Amino acid sequence: MGLPYTVILTGGIASGKTTVSRLFAALGIVIIDSDELAREVVAPGEPALAAIVKRFGSGILDSDGALDRPRLRAIVFADSNARADLERITHPAIRQLMRTRLTAAESPYTILAIPLLAETGGRREADRVLVVDCPEELQLRRLMARDGSSEPQARAILAAQASREQRLALADDVIVNDGELAPLRDAVAELHARYLQLASAKRDASI
């Protein structure tokens, strides 16, 4: 069985990806979040967690035997080789789980949320890429309000991500999230109608 029509949803931090995901979910569309998959594959008892412990030692576990994410994050951000080792362990497991979830999805098309698409190699296996975009100064204000970050901290976080231009270069579709919820909902509804048509055409072509 082939994969369903898949739209990757991406965007910078504090751009409004979660809000857009919820609007598509309200229309009955299955949302698969790569961040959630990344947490699932390193849950206690999962093979990927055992491999991480073998590579990094039991010191990266908390008192409950779960992954101590801040501790592991500190290690891999300070050492590119360690980060590459972690990715070799987790990325295949994430991709396999992603394909399993995509195959099981029962909506007319599926939204695959990959926040760091531009940072991790581009388009992947998808029919379309939707970028949630907003002006960088608005993104900055949202990030400061959401996380309580100082302006220098927030600017450093934005600087560590792909640029707005790099994300937009991947886009087939763009939603500009710079205002009220109503126009955002309208933009999602318009894209939903388009994706339904495209998914139907893909199914017809495969018959």
Side-chain angles (χ1 to χ4, degrees):
M1 183 178 179
L3 296 177
Y5 194 90
T6 304
V7 178
I8 290 181
L9 172 66
T10 192
I13 190 170
S15 61
K17 300 180 299 296
T18 300
T19 301
V20 171
S21 289
R22 288 172 180 160
L23 291 171
F24 276 107
L27 295 170
I29 299 305
V30 171
I31 311 294
I32 300 172
D33 188 322
S34 63
D35 284 348
E36 292 181 5
L37 300 185
R39 286 189 287 272
E40 286 186 44
V41 300
V42 296
E46 292 295 325
L49 181 59
I52 291 170
V53 171
K54 183 177 180 180
R55 165 61 179 83
F56 294 96
S58 58
I60 52 87
L61 298 177
D62 63 20
S63 58
D64 296 322
L67 184 64
D68 187 326
R69 292 176 173 278
R71 190 174 301 174
L72 181 59
R73 190 179 301 119
I75 293 170
V76 300
F77 274 123
D79 182 346
S80 60
N81 290 328
R83 183 166 64 251
D85 288 344
L86 178 64
E87 290 172 352
R88 275 193 288 271
I89 294 168
T90 59
H91 285 188
I94 293 168
R95 284 194 293 270
Q96 180 57 49
L97 183 56
M98 188 181 292
R99 290 186 69 87
T100 299
R101 296 285 168 81
L102 284 169
T103 301
E106 294 185 351
S107 56
Y109 63 92
T110 304
I111 296 284
L112 179 56
I114 304 181
L116 299 180
L117 181 69
E119 291 86 347
T120 56
R123 190 179 185 99
R124 312 276 181 92
E125 294 181 13
D127 296 284
R128 213 157 176 89
V129 173
L130 168 59
V131 172
V132 182
D133 183 48
C134 72
E136 289 180 1
E137 287 304 310
L138 176 57
Q139 191 181 4
L140 182 72
R141 292 198 301 274
R142 286 175 176 167
L143 182 57
M144 292 167 64
R146 189 189 76 182
D147 295 348
S149 305
S150 67
E151 183 172 338
Q153 288 171 330
R155 289 193 182 279
I157 291 169
L158 295 185
Q161 294 199 332
S163 68
R164 187 181 182 189
E165 291 72 23
Q166 287 172 313
R167 284 190 295 270
L168 290 173
L170 299 174
D172 296 298
D173 304 298
V174 178
I175 286 182
V176 179
N177 179 25
D178 61 356
E180 301 298 320
L181 183 60
L184 192 63
R185 185 180 288 112
D186 291 343
V188 167
E190 182 177 335
L191 284 174
H192 175 63
R194 183 184 306 170
Y195 295 156
L196 288 174
Q197 291 176 341
L198 291 170
S200 177
K202 180 179 180 179
R203 285 194 299 273
D204 291 345
S206 67
I207 294 175

